[in-house]
């Protein structure tokens, strides 16, 4: 995941650092929501031309899919927050 975010941050150098980390959090949440709700992997990959999004999709699909809404919500939140924390660490904004 660290290599993925490092590449994403280089691509997004024109954005404010805090904004890109928030954007990555949001993108990660949407992707994991699709994962948890059963969107087929090929459908999600076909929906984007973004290499960053494709890399995050693949990372999300390596995570387990849960049956209950409670565990799905936790998986979505955990995935998005892990991406955001790693982004802050990569940009030097981590404490």
């Amino acid at each position: 995941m660290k290599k993925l975010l490092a590449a994403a941050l280089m691509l997004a150098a024109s954005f404010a650092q805090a904004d890109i980390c928030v954007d990555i959090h949001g993108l990660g949440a949407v992707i994991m929501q699709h994962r948890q709700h059963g969107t087929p992997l090929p459908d999600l990959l076909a929906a984007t031309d973004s290499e960053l999004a494709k890399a995050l999709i693949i990372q999300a699909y390596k995570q387990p899919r849960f049956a209950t809404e409670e565990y799905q919500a936790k998986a979505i939140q955990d995935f998005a927050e892990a991406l955001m924390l790693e982004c802050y660490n990569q940009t030097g904004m981590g404490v």
Side-chain angles (χ1 to χ4, degrees), residues 8-91:
L9 293 170
M10 289 183 352
L11 291 172
S14 63
F15 296 104
Q17 288 179 343
D19 291 342
I20 191 65
C21 294
V22 171
D23 290 345
I24 287 174
H25 178 278
L27 180 59
V30 169
I31 290 169
M32 184 54 84
Q33 183 175 27
H34 279 281
R35 165 72 177 127
Q36 293 301 317
H37 292 138
T39 302
L41 176 58
D43 293 354
L44 206 52
L45 288 171
T48 185
D49 291 328
S50 166
E51 292 303 316
L52 170 61
K54 286 180 180 182
L56 293 177
I57 290 166
I58 290 169
Q59 189 68 29
Y61 276 73
K62 291 179 180 179
Q63 306 302 312
R65 184 172 165 214
F66 295 101
T68 67
E69 286 185 31
E70 178 183 357
Y71 284 107
Q72 288 174 347
K74 184 174 178 354
I76 293 165
Q77 181 179 0
D78 289 350
F79 184 73
E81 289 179 359
L83 291 175
M84 188 174 192
L85 286 172
E86 187 59 38
C87 177
Y88 283 141
N89 286 334
Q90 291 289 327
T91 60

